[in-house]
Amino acid sequence: MSRLNTPAVNDVPAGARQILDKVGAQLGFVPNMFKTIASNPSALEAVTTLQATMSRVLDAKTRHSIALAVSQANDCSYCLAIHTYTSSTFGGMSSEDIDLARAGSSVDPKRAAAARFAQQVVDSNGQVSDADLAAVRGAGYTDSEILAIVTVAVQALLTNFINNVNQTDIDIPALDSSATPG
């Protein structure tokens, strides 16, 4: 059961309601995470603005792969469920590629390097090695794209932390924990 207050729709300030309406229009439903964050309209605006901004960097499958890799590294069941849903429904990713992304890999070698690097960022608290940087550069990423990978990873960390603190009730199909890769 969620541990933080999730306000009733009528108790959400108008500006936050507009954001929730937009999220609902994009996804077809308003996930519990966003309903909970709506109790703090500034936090809701920060999360959704960051997500909208980062949707313009890297390709969608790479962003999804990073989010899945980071969410797996942080053991965030809610984020794994929502990222699996969005990766398959909107990102066109196969079940195989979703499972590989959770393990920090991909069917695409360049995308695998991004997912692996994002996991290294998380696992090392940002203290990646020269070898980690060389590997992601060797896969073809520029320094500008490496900054994008880090920012997408931090975006995933933000929602991982919110959902892990809250223990957000999963309102989308839960993953089979026995299928966890790695």
Side-chain angles (χ1 to χ4, degrees), residues 122-134:
V122 171
D123 292 343
S124 70
N125 297 315
Q127 305 275 339
V128 295
S129 68
D130 290 341
D132 294 329
L133 276 172

Side-chain angles (χ1 to χ4, degrees), residues 15-40:
R17 262 184 282 174
Q18 290 173 346
I19 294 171
L20 292 179
D21 289 344
K22 186 175 179 181
V23 168
Q26 290 173 335
L27 297 178
F29 71 106
V30 179
N32 282 338
M33 174 186 77
F34 292 102
K35 292 176 187 174
T36 300
I37 299 172
S39 69
N40 183 322

Side-chain angles (χ1 to χ4, degrees), residues 50-71 74 83 114-115 117-119 121-122 144-160:
L50 179 59
Q51 289 177 332
T53 300
M54 296 318 295
S55 72
R56 299 188 303 260
V57 302
L58 307 169
D59 65 271
K61 287 183 180 181
T62 300
R63 291 190 318 272
H64 288 302
S65 294
I66 293 167
L68 286 160
V70 170
S71 296
N74 283 301
H83 288 301
F117 183 74
Q119 279 188 328
V121 169
V122 171
S144 176
E145 291 168 323
I146 292 169
L147 289 171
I149 292 168
V150 172
T151 307
V152 171
V154 169
Q155 171 193 322
L157 277 172
L158 173 61
T159 56
N160 289 174

Side-chain angles (χ1 to χ4, degrees), residues 67-169:
L68 286 160
V70 170
S71 296
Q72 182 69 44
N74 283 301
D75 195 26
C76 184
S77 298
Y78 189 88
C79 292
L80 284 168
I82 192 70
H83 288 301
T84 295
Y85 172 79
T86 58
S87 296
S88 62
T89 304
F90 304 109
M93 290 177 67
S94 69
S95 295
E96 175 190 12
D97 209 14
I98 289 169
D99 289 344
L100 287 169
R102 291 177 63 192
S105 190
S106 173
V107 295
D108 175 81
K110 186 172 181 181
R111 198 175 331 129
R116 193 167 31 259
F117 183 74
Q119 279 188 328
Q120 287 295 334
V121 169
V122 171
D123 292 343
S124 70
N125 297 315
Q127 305 275 339
V128 295
S129 68
D130 290 341
D132 294 329
L133 276 172
V136 75
R137 285 181 176 132
Y141 287 101
T142 65
D143 286 0
S144 176
E145 291 168 323
I146 292 169
L147 289 171
I149 292 168
V150 172
T151 307
V152 171
V154 169
Q155 171 193 322
L157 277 172
L158 173 61
T159 56
N160 289 174
F161 285 5
I162 288 169
N163 288 299
N164 281 344
V165 165
N166 186 36
Q167 296 179 357
T168 306
D169 292 329

